[in-house]
Amino acid sequence: MSVLNQPFPKQSGCFGFNLNQESSSLGSHDGFVKQQQVDQAGMTRDDKQKKQEIDALLSEAMNNLTFQEREKQQEVLHGVDDEIKEEGNIVDIALSELDNHLIRIKRGSVYEIAERMDPAYVHARAFRVMFLRGNRYDTKAAANQMLKFFETKQDLFGTEKLTKDITIDDLDEDDIACLKTGWLQLAGKDRSGRVVHLQLLHLRAYKTLKNEYRMKYYMLMDLLQTDEDVQLKGVCGLTYAAEDCTDAMNGAGYFEHIELTNAIPVHIASVHYCCSKMSEYLFLNLAIKAMPPKLRARFRSHFGSHVECQYRLSTYGILGENLPLMPDSNEVDMKYHLQWCQARLTKPRMRSDELKPKYGPHLAAAKKPLKVIQPTANDVLYMGGNRSKNAGNDHLRNLVSEWAQTYDSGTNDTKRLVVNEMINEIHRSGGRFLSQVDGQESVWAIVPVDEVRLKITQSFRNRRRKVRGTRKKKS
């Protein structure tokens, strides 16, 4: 059973929310360190030892990376890394590799249930590209995350919602009340144009922890599906617990929140943690241990007052003026967050098919794909039903003959693997799949990978018909 599907304690408080800090103390949650009353000006011997452990964890994460990897993570942290390149066949090749990984690992998973319910939803190009982008085109990681995504979605919203986009209408009254607290909100963008995903821990209030998980899922997916820049650039995660902003729930549900975030296809470009109390700072050793090694290299903690923490954030491109904290009192200005909530509660949600154009014409099965002026010998050419003598076409015909027995006798998953391997083989040889545009002999366009799969499947059918016709003539 997933941790997100565990029973959640319901405790009454103001407006039905759990606001009893004592009943939610760290001591009541397994795996959480016990808080210590430590003066901000100094540390106990135990504090110093634990701080050394934190420093050692971060140093170890950096030392385990190569020099090039360390440089890369530093560039990502400061927002000066190169943008994702999605030129030529890069996306199609990655989608084929992703499909192969999924075929190998999906058996018995919730993903497989969703695939049977609505293949079009699960196989949608724009949907899968989100996972590729979120994992920086690491196809194996993207496949594993897709399995986690559907398991988490089932835990939070039930099997019947697996193949539906979650809208604000899917949140109940307690979820929406939790959303309106503002403990989780968007705080503008950093200097590199990345959205700052802000957690104000002192505003946490909920009836059950599941309210937090459901509204967090909704916020992240809404952000990804309505802003392509978020998919391409990622987000900066900022947890703010400086001075009087300490966690109202003393870390309740911390690891479940990590699991949820890991299941959402959002690229975390950097993680910042601001605090003033040493007890909060020492809690970070748990946070760091739960992070993947490369993310640890992009993690920064900032210890001090509001002014000190916000100054340090500014050195990483996160401006204090964008945070919803009033300069004089550091109270939270809820105006913009409540406007954000109200806009989603009153504005009709666009259907998923209306969102598709936002992913860009180069990702959809567009009517105007990338045009190619001059085909090469390695390309597979589709000429409106005419047989091409190009070397790339001969290569594909040979592959059809080579894989025919495996394809014809295989399961649907085996057939899909065979077709993907053939596509990858053409790409590895330097070839592309091209078709003439509007019958113009000299104007060619790249054929979308989904259409290529259909054409190759048809090639196997044609071969079977030809073999059967030959047998009948002999008999």
Side-chain angles (χ1 to χ4, degrees), residues 25-163:
S25 66
L26 289 174
S28 64
H29 295 275
D30 293 338
F32 288 97
V33 293
K34 187 176 181 180
Q35 292 194 82
Q36 300 179 55
Q37 299 298 323
V38 182
D39 187 89
Q40 294 184 26
M43 294 185 291
T44 66
R45 181 179 300 177
D46 190 39
D47 291 340
K48 292 179 180 179
Q49 181 179 348
K50 289 181 178 179
K51 185 179 184 303
Q52 289 174 354
E53 292 176 5
I54 294 171
D55 295 337
L57 282 171
L58 295 175
S59 298
E60 182 184 2
M62 295 294 287
N63 292 335
N64 288 338
L65 300 176
T66 65
F67 175 78
Q68 290 79 9
E69 287 175 333
R70 287 198 296 271
E71 289 291 302
K72 175 63 177 176
Q73 299 311 314
Q74 288 300 302
E75 290 174 355
V76 175
L77 173 65
H78 291 278
V80 294
D81 54 318
D82 296 330
E83 292 185 4
I84 296 177
K85 295 180 180 180
E86 296 178 332
E87 302 169 348
N89 293 329
I90 290 176
V91 178
D92 285 346
I93 293 171
L95 286 170
S96 292
E97 292 177 359
L98 172 64
D99 199 41
N100 289 344
H101 287 307
L102 287 167
I103 289 170
R104 294 187 182 100
I105 66 175
K106 70 179 183 179
R107 188 176 299 277
S109 67
V110 180
Y111 168 91
E112 193 172 37
I113 296 174
E115 189 177 39
R116 288 197 297 267
M117 290 172 61
D118 188 351
Y121 180 91
V122 177
H123 296 159
R125 184 183 180 89
F127 178 69
R128 292 192 167 203
V129 166
M130 274 200 303
F131 288 87
L132 291 174
R133 288 171 168 175
N135 290 277
R136 284 348 196 202
Y137 278 81
D138 182 335
T139 54
K140 185 175 181 180
N144 289 328
Q145 189 181 55
M146 284 191 77
L147 265 62
K148 291 179 183 176
F149 173 83
F150 281 105
E151 180 183 347
T152 300
K153 191 174 184 181
Q154 183 190 54
D155 288 344
L156 295 179
F157 299 98
T159 303
E160 67 278 4
K161 297 288 186 180
L162 279 177
T163 55

Side-chain angles (χ1 to χ4, degrees), residues 79 188-196 227 229-230 233-236 317:
K189 297 183 178 182
D190 70 354
R191 288 197 183 99
S192 299
R194 301 176 299 194
V195 170
V196 177
D227 189 345
D229 270 355
V230 174
K233 295 180 179 180
V235 302
C236 297

Side-chain angles (χ1 to χ4, degrees), residues 9-37:
K10 296 186 178 182
Q11 299 178 0
S12 59
C14 181
F15 302 109
F17 286 114
N18 177 5
L19 296 174
N20 187 340
Q21 295 189 31
E22 293 182 1
S23 65
S24 300
S25 66
L26 289 174
S28 64
H29 295 275
D30 293 338
F32 288 97
V33 293
K34 187 176 181 180
Q35 292 194 82
Q36 300 179 55
Q37 299 298 323

